């Protein structure tokens, strides 16, 4: 199946209001360019060092929006703010405040997704629901943060039914905070995420094939 066929296959199945984020980590900019030629402009990267040369090589395509989806370390914030349009992996109040301060200095306005962890998962960062609720007033009152939604990753050993349930919890929490977006769903479970109310699915291997690294 060609890249265009895979893109069309998933787009046909997504409701009109659900966006597709093509997670291009581990794949070269030549393939990203092919997707852009077929009308896909949202791309996700999780490693800054890998992403920067790709962003540079593709800077002639104005419509591309870069999403940072990886674990964001505080010493990488400035570069991420400079080069990305959306940051999906904001996992603490401290990090959010740092992003706000640096965005102001850089005169940038990245959209923010708060990463929430709905189950114990030592492999993942994220706000617990309790932490998010405690920090919410500060987060939502911060003048330089454009918080548009929540992002979540499910534990990899959870079955599809369990994932859908988790995604529904994320949707409910977003609704209760009056946040429009939920960044949830990956190659294995984007259908469950869409049923639960995802507004942006993050799909890598289904589109690009297996990652080399
Ligand atoms: C890699 C990655 C994806 C895409 O994963 P696939 O299973 O290849 O679709 C989605 N979200 C995040 C945060 C990722 O790191």
């Amino acid at each position: 199946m060609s890249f265009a066929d895979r893109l069309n296959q998933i787009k046909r199945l997504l409701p009109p209001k659900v966006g597709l984020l093509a997670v291009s980590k581990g794949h070269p900019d030549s393939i990203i360019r092919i997707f852009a030629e077929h009308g896909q402009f949202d791309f996700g990267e999780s490693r800054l060092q890998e992403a920067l040369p790709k962003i540079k090589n593709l800077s002639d395509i104005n419509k591309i929006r870069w999403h940072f989806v990886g674990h964001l370390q505080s010493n990488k914030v400035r570069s991420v703010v400079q080069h990305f349009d959306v940051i999906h992996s904001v996992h603490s109040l401290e990090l959010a405040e740092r992003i706000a301060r640096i965005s102001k200095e850089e005169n940038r306005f990245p959209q923010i997704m708060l990463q929430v962890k709905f189950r114990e998962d030592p492999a993942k960062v994220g706000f617990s629901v309790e932490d998010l609720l405690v920090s919410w007033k500060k987060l939502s009152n911060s003048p330089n943060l454009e918080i548009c939604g929540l992002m979540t990753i499910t534990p990899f050993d959870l079955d599809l039914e369990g994932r859908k349930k988790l995604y529904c919890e994320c949707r409910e929490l977003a609704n209760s905070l009056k946040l429009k977006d939920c960044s949830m769903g990956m190659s294995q479970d984007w259908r469950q995420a869409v049923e639960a109310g995802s507004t942006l699915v993050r799909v890598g291997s289904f589109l690009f094939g297996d990652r080399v690294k």
Side-chain angles (χ1 to χ4, degrees):
M1 225 190 339
S2 73
F3 292 122
D5 288 341
R6 296 189 205 182
L7 183 64
N8 289 332
Q9 187 182 352
I10 196 164
K11 279 199 165 166
R12 259 203 324 274
L13 295 168
L14 285 179
K17 280 187 190 146
V18 181
L20 173 63
L21 175 58
V23 179
S24 46
K25 67 172 184 227
H27 299 283
D29 49 64
S30 53
I31 300 180
I32 299 177
R33 192 174 286 279
I34 294 173
F35 279 114
E37 281 162 6
H38 289 90
Q40 174 64 32
F41 296 111
D42 286 281
F43 293 96
E45 289 283 336
S46 58
R47 301 179 205 105
L48 183 64
Q49 296 320 319
E50 180 191 330
L52 290 180
K54 294 186 197 173
I55 294 175
K56 188 155 172 273
N57 292 344
L58 294 163
S59 59
D60 58 303
I61 310 176
N62 296 325
K63 278 187 168 174
I64 291 190
R65 278 162 41 94
W66 291 104
H67 299 240
F68 192 82
V69 301
H71 183 191
L72 180 49
Q73 294 157 306
S74 55
N75 63 341
K76 304 274 170 67
V77 168
R78 188 171 304 274
S79 187
V80 166
V81 162
Q82 286 167 340
H83 295 98
F84 287 81
D85 304 290
V86 188
I87 307 175
H88 286 240
S89 39
V90 181
H91 54 76
S92 71
L93 176 61
E94 195 188 357
L95 181 62
E97 288 177 335
R98 189 179 180 88
I99 291 170
R101 178 172 60 73
I102 291 176
S103 298
K104 189 164 180 230
E105 288 169 12
E106 298 286 335
N107 198 27
R108 297 271 300 168
F109 304 92
Q111 294 186 345
I112 301 295
M113 305 275 193
L114 301 172
Q115 184 172 351
V116 185
K117 215 159 71 157
F118 289 87
R119 303 285 184 274
E120 262 320 303
D121 184 356
K124 293 273 162 356
V125 295
F127 285 92
S128 67
V129 175
E130 296 73 27
D131 286 348
L132 180 63
L133 295 175
V134 169
S135 306
W136 179 244
K137 213 176 193 148
K138 280 191 177 165
L139 287 164
S140 57
N141 287 330
S142 175
N144 290 295
L145 277 185
E146 189 191 341
I147 299 173
C148 38
L150 304 181
M151 177 272 215
T152 196
I153 308 175
T154 55
F156 77 98
D157 57 355
L158 201 60
D159 63 17
L160 288 178
E161 204 177 316
R163 290 179 188 215
K164 183 171 173 187
K165 189 157 172 288
L166 189 158
Y167 288 145
C168 286
E169 291 173 37
C170 187
R171 182 68 263 175
E172 277 173 30
L173 181 61
N175 289 350
S176 75
L177 301 174
K178 301 197 165 51
L179 291 170
K180 178 178 149 289
D181 287 316
C182 282
S183 161
M184 52 190 198
M186 312 198 343
S187 291
Q188 300 301 327
D189 61 11
W190 59 268
R191 293 171 185 79
Q192 284 72 26
V194 167
E195 285 167 14
S198 173
T199 59
L200 188 60
V201 291
R202 308 181 309 268
V203 178
S205 40
F206 185 89
L207 289 170
F208 290 86
D210 290 335
R211 282 181 285 278
V212 183
K213 44 180 176 146

